[in-house]
Tab-separated table of all heavy atoms in Angstrom:
chain	number	residue	atom	x	y	z
B	63	MET	N	9.526	29.674	37.890
B	63	MET	CA	8.246	29.186	38.337
B	63	MET	C	7.688	28.323	37.185
B	63	MET	O	7.744	28.785	36.014
B	63	MET	CB	7.349	30.354	38.648
B	63	MET	CG	5.990	29.841	39.118
B	63	MET	SD	4.734	31.168	39.429
B	63	MET	CE	5.655	32.326	40.479
B	64	LYS	N	7.267	27.177	37.509
B	64	LYS	CA	6.691	26.326	36.395
B	64	LYS	C	5.435	26.984	35.904
B	64	LYS	O	4.638	27.644	36.605
B	64	LYS	CB	6.349	24.892	37.090
B	64	LYS	CG	7.561	24.050	37.287
B	64	LYS	CD	7.153	22.684	37.686
B	64	LYS	CE	8.309	21.814	37.924
B	64	LYS	NZ	7.941	20.427	38.325
B	65	LYS	N	5.108	26.695	34.616
B	65	LYS	CA	3.933	27.219	33.990
B	65	LYS	C	2.631	26.768	34.752
B	65	LYS	O	1.681	27.536	34.871
B	65	LYS	CB	3.877	26.853	32.539
B	65	LYS	CG	2.814	27.561	31.802
B	65	LYS	CD	2.929	27.232	30.268
B	65	LYS	CE	1.969	28.077	29.527
B	65	LYS	NZ	2.028	27.793	28.077
B	66	CYS	N	2.644	25.536	35.147
B	66	CYS	CA	1.490	24.948	35.778
B	66	CYS	C	1.198	25.703	37.130
B	66	CYS	O	0.115	26.028	37.393
B	66	CYS	CB	1.678	23.525	36.063
B	66	CYS	SG	0.304	22.659	36.793
B	67	LEU	N	2.224	25.911	37.888
B	67	LEU	CA	2.114	26.607	39.201
B	67	LEU	C	1.644	28.057	38.978
B	67	LEU	O	0.769	28.619	39.683
B	67	LEU	CB	3.424	26.536	39.938
B	67	LEU	CG	3.403	27.217	41.324
B	67	LEU	CD1	2.417	26.606	42.252
B	67	LEU	CD2	4.810	27.122	41.989
B	68	LYS	N	2.244	28.667	37.958
B	68	LYS	CA	1.869	30.071	37.629
B	68	LYS	C	0.472	30.126	37.216
B	68	LYS	O	-0.333	31.033	37.710
B	68	LYS	CB	2.761	30.590	36.472
B	68	LYS	CG	2.419	31.997	36.136
B	68	LYS	CD	3.340	32.489	35.097
B	68	LYS	CE	3.052	33.983	34.665
B	68	LYS	NZ	3.972	34.508	33.662
B	69	GLN	N	-0.087	29.185	36.443
B	69	GLN	CA	-1.521	29.196	36.029
B	69	GLN	C	-2.402	28.916	37.190
B	69	GLN	O	-3.512	29.493	37.265
B	69	GLN	CB	-1.690	28.143	34.923
B	69	GLN	CG	-3.090	28.109	34.367
B	69	GLN	CD	-3.525	29.462	33.731
B	69	GLN	OE1	-2.775	29.922	32.905
B	69	GLN	NE2	-4.611	30.038	34.094
B	70	GLU	N	-1.988	28.064	38.110
B	70	GLU	CA	-2.804	27.802	39.287
B	70	GLU	C	-2.910	29.069	40.153
B	70	GLU	O	-4.022	29.312	40.662
B	70	GLU	CB	-2.094	26.690	40.140
B	70	GLU	CG	-2.284	25.333	39.564
B	70	GLU	CD	-1.634	24.241	40.433
B	70	GLU	OE1	-1.288	24.539	41.562
B	70	GLU	OE2	-1.380	23.136	39.894
B	71	ARG	N	-1.914	29.841	40.241
B	71	ARG	CA	-1.982	31.077	41.070
B	71	ARG	C	-2.802	32.174	40.329
B	71	ARG	O	-3.543	32.838	41.000
B	71	ARG	CB	-0.568	31.607	41.233
B	71	ARG	CG	0.218	30.779	42.280
B	71	ARG	CD	1.558	31.335	42.552
B	71	ARG	NE	2.241	30.561	43.556
B	71	ARG	CZ	3.459	30.808	43.966
B	71	ARG	NH1	4.116	31.841	43.465
B	71	ARG	NH2	4.013	30.051	44.922
B	72	LEU	N	-2.763	32.151	39.044
B	72	LEU	CA	-3.580	33.099	38.250
B	72	LEU	C	-5.047	32.692	38.384
B	72	LEU	O	-5.941	33.532	38.514
B	72	LEU	CB	-3.209	33.129	36.787
B	72	LEU	CG	-1.866	33.791	36.531
B	72	LEU	CD1	-1.490	33.633	35.055
B	72	LEU	CD2	-1.930	35.266	36.815
B	73	ASP	N	-5.330	31.374	38.333
B	73	ASP	CA	-6.738	30.922	38.498
B	73	ASP	C	-7.260	31.247	39.894
B	73	ASP	O	-8.442	31.587	40.051
B	73	ASP	CB	-6.777	29.418	38.307
B	73	ASP	CG	-6.577	28.942	36.834
B	73	ASP	OD1	-6.621	29.858	35.950
B	73	ASP	OD2	-6.299	27.795	36.607
B	74	GLU	N	-6.367	31.062	40.889
B	74	GLU	CA	-6.833	31.386	42.261
B	74	GLU	C	-7.134	32.840	42.394
B	74	GLU	O	-8.129	33.229	43.040
B	74	GLU	CB	-5.657	30.984	43.317
B	74	GLU	CG	-6.116	31.219	44.764
B	74	GLU	CD	-5.052	30.754	45.701
B	74	GLU	OE1	-4.134	30.035	45.279
B	74	GLU	OE2	-5.134	31.093	46.863
B	75	LEU	N	-6.325	33.770	41.765
B	75	LEU	CA	-6.639	35.176	41.825
B	75	LEU	C	-7.952	35.513	41.141
B	75	LEU	O	-8.764	36.274	41.618
B	75	LEU	CB	-5.478	35.975	41.235
B	75	LEU	CG	-4.232	36.091	42.023
B	75	LEU	CD1	-3.126	36.748	41.216
B	75	LEU	CD2	-4.477	36.895	43.327
B	76	GLU	N	-8.164	34.890	40.022
B	76	GLU	CA	-9.417	35.051	39.267
B	76	GLU	C	-10.623	34.599	40.125
B	76	GLU	O	-11.654	35.223	40.221
B	76	GLU	CB	-9.386	34.342	37.933
B	76	GLU	CG	-10.698	34.496	37.108
B	76	GLU	CD	-11.026	35.808	36.651
B	76	GLU	OE1	-10.171	36.769	36.786
B	76	GLU	OE2	-12.081	36.006	36.218
B	77	ASN	N	-10.520	33.438	40.781
B	77	ASN	CA	-11.553	32.925	41.647
B	77	ASN	C	-11.871	33.894	42.740
B	77	ASN	O	-13.028	34.128	43.125
B	77	ASN	CB	-11.225	31.638	42.165
B	77	ASN	CG	-11.171	30.496	41.114
B	77	ASN	OD1	-11.749	30.638	40.014
B	77	ASN	ND2	-10.612	29.394	41.385
B	78	LEU	N	-10.866	34.479	43.385
B	78	LEU	CA	-11.050	35.395	44.432
B	78	LEU	C	-11.701	36.702	43.911
B	78	LEU	O	-12.634	37.209	44.577
B	78	LEU	CB	-9.735	35.789	45.034
B	78	LEU	CG	-9.022	34.709	45.863
B	78	LEU	CD1	-7.636	35.090	46.323
B	78	LEU	CD2	-9.914	34.371	47.114
B	79	ARG	N	-11.401	37.163	42.741
B	79	ARG	CA	-12.042	38.315	42.147
B	79	ARG	C	-13.508	38.044	41.879
B	79	ARG	O	-14.398	38.874	42.236
B	79	ARG	CB	-11.349	38.631	40.843
B	79	ARG	CG	-11.870	39.980	40.255
B	79	ARG	CD	-11.409	40.168	38.801
B	79	ARG	NE	-11.973	39.131	37.834
B	79	ARG	CZ	-13.218	39.295	37.343
B	79	ARG	NH1	-14.036	40.251	37.718
B	79	ARG	NH2	-13.653	38.373	36.573
B	80	VAL	N	-13.822	36.894	41.334
B	80	VAL	CA	-15.244	36.517	41.032
B	80	VAL	C	-15.982	36.353	42.394
B	80	VAL	O	-17.144	36.875	42.487
B	80	VAL	CB	-15.275	35.186	40.282
B	80	VAL	CG1	-16.702	34.678	40.211
B	80	VAL	CG2	-14.707	35.341	38.913
B	81	GLU	N	-15.414	35.795	43.410
B	81	GLU	CA	-16.032	35.723	44.666
B	81	GLU	C	-16.312	37.023	45.274
B	81	GLU	O	-17.484	37.305	45.818
B	81	GLU	CB	-15.160	34.895	45.664
B	81	GLU	CG	-15.791	34.598	46.992
B	81	GLU	CD	-14.936	33.727	47.833
B	81	GLU	OE1	-14.188	32.878	47.294
B	81	GLU	OE2	-15.011	33.849	49.103
B	82	GLU	N	-15.415	37.970	45.170
B	82	GLU	CA	-15.640	39.351	45.700
B	82	GLU	C	-16.787	40.030	44.987
B	82	GLU	O	-17.639	40.721	45.620
B	82	GLU	CB	-14.357	40.146	45.532
B	82	GLU	CG	-14.495	41.561	46.098
B	82	GLU	CD	-13.133	42.363	45.896
B	82	GLU	OE1	-12.197	41.863	45.375
B	82	GLU	OE2	-13.155	43.486	46.332
B	83	VAL	N	-16.882	39.917	43.638
B	83	VAL	CA	-17.953	40.479	42.905
B	83	VAL	C	-19.301	39.850	43.341
B	83	VAL	O	-20.291	40.615	43.545
B	83	VAL	CB	-17.724	40.286	41.357
B	83	VAL	CG1	-18.989	40.725	40.601
B	83	VAL	CG2	-16.542	41.205	40.939
B	84	ALA	N	-19.374	38.521	43.499
B	84	ALA	CA	-20.538	37.912	43.889
B	84	ALA	C	-21.039	38.351	45.307
B	84	ALA	O	-22.238	38.580	45.482
B	84	ALA	CB	-20.334	36.322	43.851
B	85	GLU	N	-20.080	38.434	46.204
B	85	GLU	CA	-20.438	38.921	47.547
B	85	GLU	C	-21.055	40.348	47.521
B	85	GLU	O	-21.987	40.640	48.200
B	85	GLU	CB	-19.267	38.842	48.482
B	85	GLU	CG	-18.833	37.438	48.874
B	85	GLU	CD	-17.637	37.402	49.774
B	85	GLU	OE1	-17.178	38.436	50.190
B	85	GLU	OE2	-17.182	36.249	50.076
B	86	ALA	N	-20.425	41.194	46.716
B	86	ALA	CA	-20.924	42.590	46.529
B	86	ALA	C	-22.294	42.602	46.023
B	86	ALA	O	-23.142	43.392	46.424
B	86	ALA	CB	-19.945	43.353	45.752
B	87	ARG	N	-22.588	41.761	45.042
B	87	ARG	CA	-23.943	41.665	44.470
B	87	ARG	C	-25.034	41.103	45.471
B	87	ARG	O	-26.123	41.621	45.473
B	87	ARG	CB	-23.953	40.845	43.235
B	87	ARG	CG	-23.195	41.509	42.102
B	87	ARG	CD	-23.251	40.716	40.788
B	87	ARG	NE	-22.552	41.333	39.693
B	87	ARG	CZ	-22.330	40.790	38.536
B	87	ARG	NH1	-22.756	39.632	38.357
B	87	ARG	NH2	-21.698	41.483	37.647
B	88	LEU	N	-24.587	40.160	46.295
B	88	LEU	CA	-25.464	39.583	47.204
B	88	LEU	C	-25.905	40.518	48.337
B	88	LEU	O	-26.960	40.478	48.871
B	88	LEU	CB	-24.887	38.341	47.799
B	88	LEU	CG	-24.943	37.086	46.930
B	88	LEU	CD1	-24.133	35.923	47.604
B	88	LEU	CD2	-26.334	36.703	46.645
B	89	ILE	N	-24.995	41.494	48.644
B	89	ILE	CA	-25.355	42.494	49.632
B	89	ILE	C	-26.589	43.258	49.254
B	89	ILE	O	-27.493	43.615	50.156
B	89	ILE	CB	-24.193	43.456	49.871
B	89	ILE	CG1	-23.019	42.692	50.557
B	89	ILE	CG2	-24.599	44.702	50.683
B	89	ILE	CD1	-21.745	43.521	50.649
B	90	ASN	N	-26.711	43.574	48.031
B	90	ASN	CA	-27.845	44.353	47.475
B	90	ASN	C	-28.977	43.543	46.983
B	90	ASN	O	-29.943	44.068	46.416
B	90	ASN	CB	-27.408	45.295	46.400
B	90	ASN	CG	-26.397	46.307	46.953
B	90	ASN	OD1	-26.570	46.796	48.060
B	90	ASN	ND2	-25.340	46.563	46.182
B	91	PHE	N	-28.911	42.139	47.031
B	91	PHE	CA	-29.947	41.335	46.527
B	91	PHE	C	-31.314	41.452	47.295
B	91	PHE	O	-31.321	41.487	48.500
B	91	PHE	CB	-29.531	39.852	46.579
B	91	PHE	CG	-30.551	38.887	46.061
B	91	PHE	CD1	-30.822	38.867	44.736
B	91	PHE	CD2	-31.261	38.133	46.944
B	91	PHE	CE1	-31.775	37.931	44.253
B	91	PHE	CE2	-32.252	37.236	46.534
B	91	PHE	CZ	-32.402	37.159	45.137
B	92	SER	N	-32.388	41.633	46.502
B	92	SER	CA	-33.711	41.704	47.055
B	92	SER	C	-34.560	40.643	46.390
B	92	SER	O	-34.871	40.750	45.245
B	92	SER	CB	-34.290	43.075	46.764
B	92	SER	OG	-35.626	43.116	47.142
B	93	PRO	N	-34.989	39.677	47.135
B	93	PRO	CA	-35.815	38.568	46.655
B	93	PRO	C	-37.100	39.184	45.986
B	93	PRO	O	-37.603	38.534	45.053
B	93	PRO	CB	-36.217	37.662	47.824
B	93	PRO	CG	-35.013	37.864	48.786
B	93	PRO	CD	-34.690	39.406	48.598
B	94	ALA	N	-37.581	40.246	46.522
B	94	ALA	CA	-38.833	40.866	45.955
B	94	ALA	C	-38.582	41.380	44.521
B	94	ALA	O	-39.527	41.429	43.725
B	94	ALA	CB	-39.279	41.970	46.865
B	95	GLN	N	-37.367	41.624	44.194
B	95	GLN	CA	-37.034	42.160	42.849
B	95	GLN	C	-36.480	41.024	41.869
B	95	GLN	O	-36.216	41.332	40.773
B	95	GLN	CB	-36.048	43.282	42.877
B	95	GLN	CG	-36.633	44.564	43.561
B	95	GLN	CD	-35.569	45.626	43.671
B	95	GLN	OE1	-34.409	45.465	43.460
B	95	GLN	NE2	-36.012	46.836	43.944
B	96	ALA	N	-36.327	39.893	42.446
B	96	ALA	CA	-35.796	38.782	41.600
B	96	ALA	C	-36.753	38.352	40.595
B	96	ALA	O	-38.006	38.408	40.728
B	96	ALA	CB	-35.455	37.573	42.522
B	97	ILE	N	-36.285	37.872	39.425
B	97	ILE	CA	-37.099	37.337	38.417
B	97	ILE	C	-37.152	35.872	38.357
B	97	ILE	O	-36.067	35.257	38.367
B	97	ILE	CB	-36.539	37.908	37.023
B	97	ILE	CG1	-36.640	39.443	37.013
B	97	ILE	CG2	-37.384	37.343	35.844
B	97	ILE	CD1	-35.892	40.050	35.797
B	98	SER	N	-38.297	35.260	38.294
B	98	SER	CA	-38.354	33.844	38.276
B	98	SER	C	-37.788	33.278	36.971
B	98	SER	O	-37.776	33.937	35.934
B	98	SER	CB	-39.848	33.350	38.439
B	98	SER	OG	-40.579	33.592	37.288
B	99	HIS	N	-37.540	31.981	37.055
B	99	HIS	CA	-37.028	31.313	35.766
B	99	HIS	C	-38.077	31.361	34.670
B	99	HIS	O	-37.749	31.607	33.456
B	99	HIS	CB	-36.686	29.839	36.119
B	99	HIS	CG	-36.023	29.114	34.985
B	99	HIS	ND1	-36.718	28.172	34.281
B	99	HIS	CD2	-34.831	29.221	34.465
B	99	HIS	CE1	-35.958	27.651	33.399
B	99	HIS	NE2	-34.784	28.283	33.460
B	100	ASP	N	-39.277	31.092	35.011
B	100	ASP	CA	-40.336	31.176	34.012
B	100	ASP	C	-40.564	32.514	33.404
B	100	ASP	O	-40.793	32.687	32.198
B	100	ASP	CB	-41.721	30.706	34.571
B	100	ASP	CG	-41.723	29.214	34.938
B	100	ASP	OD1	-40.999	28.448	34.321
B	100	ASP	OD2	-42.505	28.762	35.804
B	101	ASP	N	-40.420	33.577	34.231
B	101	ASP	CA	-40.467	34.940	33.705
B	101	ASP	C	-39.340	35.223	32.742
B	101	ASP	O	-39.455	35.928	31.707
B	101	ASP	CB	-40.461	35.964	34.823
B	101	ASP	CG	-41.743	35.951	35.617
B	101	ASP	OD1	-42.768	35.463	35.118
B	101	ASP	OD2	-41.735	36.508	36.721
B	102	MET	N	-38.137	34.723	33.058
B	102	MET	CA	-36.959	34.880	32.170
B	102	MET	C	-37.220	34.194	30.871
B	102	MET	O	-36.904	34.839	29.844
B	102	MET	CB	-35.699	34.384	32.816
B	102	MET	CG	-35.195	35.263	33.931
B	102	MET	SD	-34.591	36.828	33.355
B	102	MET	CE	-32.915	36.331	33.015
B	103	ARG	N	-37.721	32.980	30.856
B	103	ARG	CA	-37.998	32.319	29.643
B	103	ARG	C	-38.994	33.041	28.817
B	103	ARG	O	-38.922	33.162	27.608
B	103	ARG	CB	-38.496	30.875	30.002
B	103	ARG	CG	-37.409	29.997	30.418
B	103	ARG	CD	-37.878	28.580	30.691
B	103	ARG	NE	-38.516	28.005	29.500
B	103	ARG	CZ	-39.376	27.061	29.547
B	103	ARG	NH1	-39.814	26.595	30.675
B	103	ARG	NH2	-39.853	26.560	28.366
B	104	ALA	N	-40.049	33.652	29.482
B	104	ALA	CA	-41.108	34.350	28.739
B	104	ALA	C	-40.525	35.619	28.147
B	104	ALA	O	-40.820	36.019	27.096
B	104	ALA	CB	-42.261	34.606	29.671
B	105	ARG	N	-39.695	36.282	28.974
B	105	ARG	CA	-39.096	37.504	28.589
B	105	ARG	C	-38.181	37.383	27.345
B	105	ARG	O	-38.192	38.139	26.389
B	105	ARG	CB	-38.389	38.216	29.688
B	105	ARG	CG	-37.702	39.546	29.255
B	105	ARG	CD	-36.941	40.131	30.426
B	105	ARG	NE	-37.812	40.593	31.478
B	105	ARG	CZ	-37.463	41.221	32.590
B	105	ARG	NH1	-36.213	41.473	32.846
B	105	ARG	NH2	-38.346	41.550	33.510
B	106	TYR	N	-37.303	36.395	27.377
B	106	TYR	CA	-36.325	36.151	26.297
B	106	TYR	C	-36.608	35.093	25.337
B	106	TYR	O	-35.927	34.903	24.306
B	106	TYR	CB	-34.902	35.961	26.956
B	106	TYR	CG	-34.466	37.202	27.841
B	106	TYR	CD1	-34.516	37.201	29.169
B	106	TYR	CD2	-34.084	38.341	27.176
B	106	TYR	CE1	-34.159	38.253	29.889
B	106	TYR	CE2	-33.686	39.443	27.857
B	106	TYR	CZ	-33.769	39.396	29.255
B	106	TYR	OH	-33.380	40.480	29.964
B	107	GLY	N	-37.581	34.257	25.635
B	107	GLY	CA	-38.076	33.229	24.726
B	107	GLY	C	-36.966	32.239	24.373
B	107	GLY	O	-36.918	31.728	23.205
B	108	GLN	N	-36.098	31.984	25.225
B	108	GLN	CA	-34.993	31.020	24.958
B	108	GLN	C	-35.258	29.714	25.611
B	108	GLN	O	-35.270	29.608	26.854
B	108	GLN	CB	-33.650	31.574	25.467
B	108	GLN	CG	-33.251	32.823	24.740
B	108	GLN	CD	-31.895	33.356	25.264
B	108	GLN	OE1	-31.356	32.818	26.141
B	108	GLN	NE2	-31.495	34.451	24.738
B	109	GLU	N	-35.433	28.719	24.848
B	109	GLU	CA	-35.569	27.317	25.378
B	109	GLU	C	-34.259	26.895	26.056
B	109	GLU	O	-34.265	25.976	26.857
B	109	GLU	CB	-36.009	26.316	24.348
B	109	GLU	CG	-37.422	26.613	23.904
B	109	GLU	CD	-38.449	26.447	25.005
B	109	GLU	OE1	-38.319	25.477	25.856
B	109	GLU	OE2	-39.389	27.240	25.072
B	110	ALA	N	-33.116	27.542	25.753
B	110	ALA	CA	-31.856	27.121	26.323
B	110	ALA	C	-31.794	27.344	27.781
B	110	ALA	O	-30.964	26.813	28.452
B	110	ALA	CB	-30.769	27.952	25.591
B	111	LEU	N	-32.696	28.165	28.299
B	111	LEU	CA	-32.707	28.452	29.779
B	111	LEU	C	-33.393	27.309	30.582
B	111	LEU	O	-33.342	27.330	31.744
B	111	LEU	CB	-33.440	29.775	30.048
B	111	LEU	CG	-32.799	31.022	29.516
B	111	LEU	CD1	-33.667	32.266	29.747
B	111	LEU	CD2	-31.471	31.173	30.121
B	112	THR	N	-33.976	26.352	29.850
B	112	THR	CA	-34.651	25.272	30.535
B	112	THR	C	-33.599	24.374	31.248
B	112	THR	O	-32.457	24.217	30.743
B	112	THR	CB	-35.480	24.460	29.684
B	112	THR	OG1	-34.696	23.846	28.656
B	112	THR	CG2	-36.646	25.231	29.028
B	113	VAL	N	-33.952	23.840	32.391
B	113	VAL	CA	-33.075	22.883	33.080
B	113	VAL	C	-33.316	21.462	32.524
B	113	VAL	O	-34.459	21.006	32.508
B	113	VAL	CB	-33.341	22.911	34.604
B	113	VAL	CG1	-32.420	21.953	35.292
B	113	VAL	CG2	-33.136	24.309	35.083
B	114	SER	N	-32.317	20.769	32.151
B	114	SER	CA	-32.376	19.417	31.603
B	114	SER	C	-32.346	18.392	32.667
B	114	SER	O	-31.705	18.443	33.574
B	114	SER	CB	-31.258	19.124	30.564
B	114	SER	OG	-31.383	20.053	29.478
């Protein structure tokens, strides 16, 4: 198997794993408990969180 093809398959498996984790998190997502962007900036004081 070519290295490129092997890496593509590994990347695809990783993408599927990430998608599965995201779906599991979304099942329990509650907008009422979500933190706004401004609240996150105030909490952590990081200007890096700003959108350019």
Side-chain angles (χ1 to χ4, degrees):
M63 182 182 310
K64 289 185 176 180
K65 188 173 185 179
C66 183
L67 181 58
K68 183 177 180 181
Q69 186 60 50
E70 286 179 16
R71 289 184 178 177
L72 289 173
D73 290 346
E74 185 176 348
L75 285 173
E76 177 66 11
N77 290 341
L78 290 171
R79 186 191 68 77
V80 170
E81 185 176 330
E82 182 179 359
V83 170
E85 287 179 8
R87 289 180 179 176
L88 284 173
I89 289 171
N90 297 318
F91 177 73
S92 170
Q95 294 179 345
I97 300 172
S98 73
H99 185 254
D100 289 336
D101 289 342
M102 287 293 272
R103 287 181 58 206
R105 181 181 290 184
Y106 297 104
Q108 295 179 1
E109 289 300 318
L111 294 175
T112 60
V113 177
S114 300

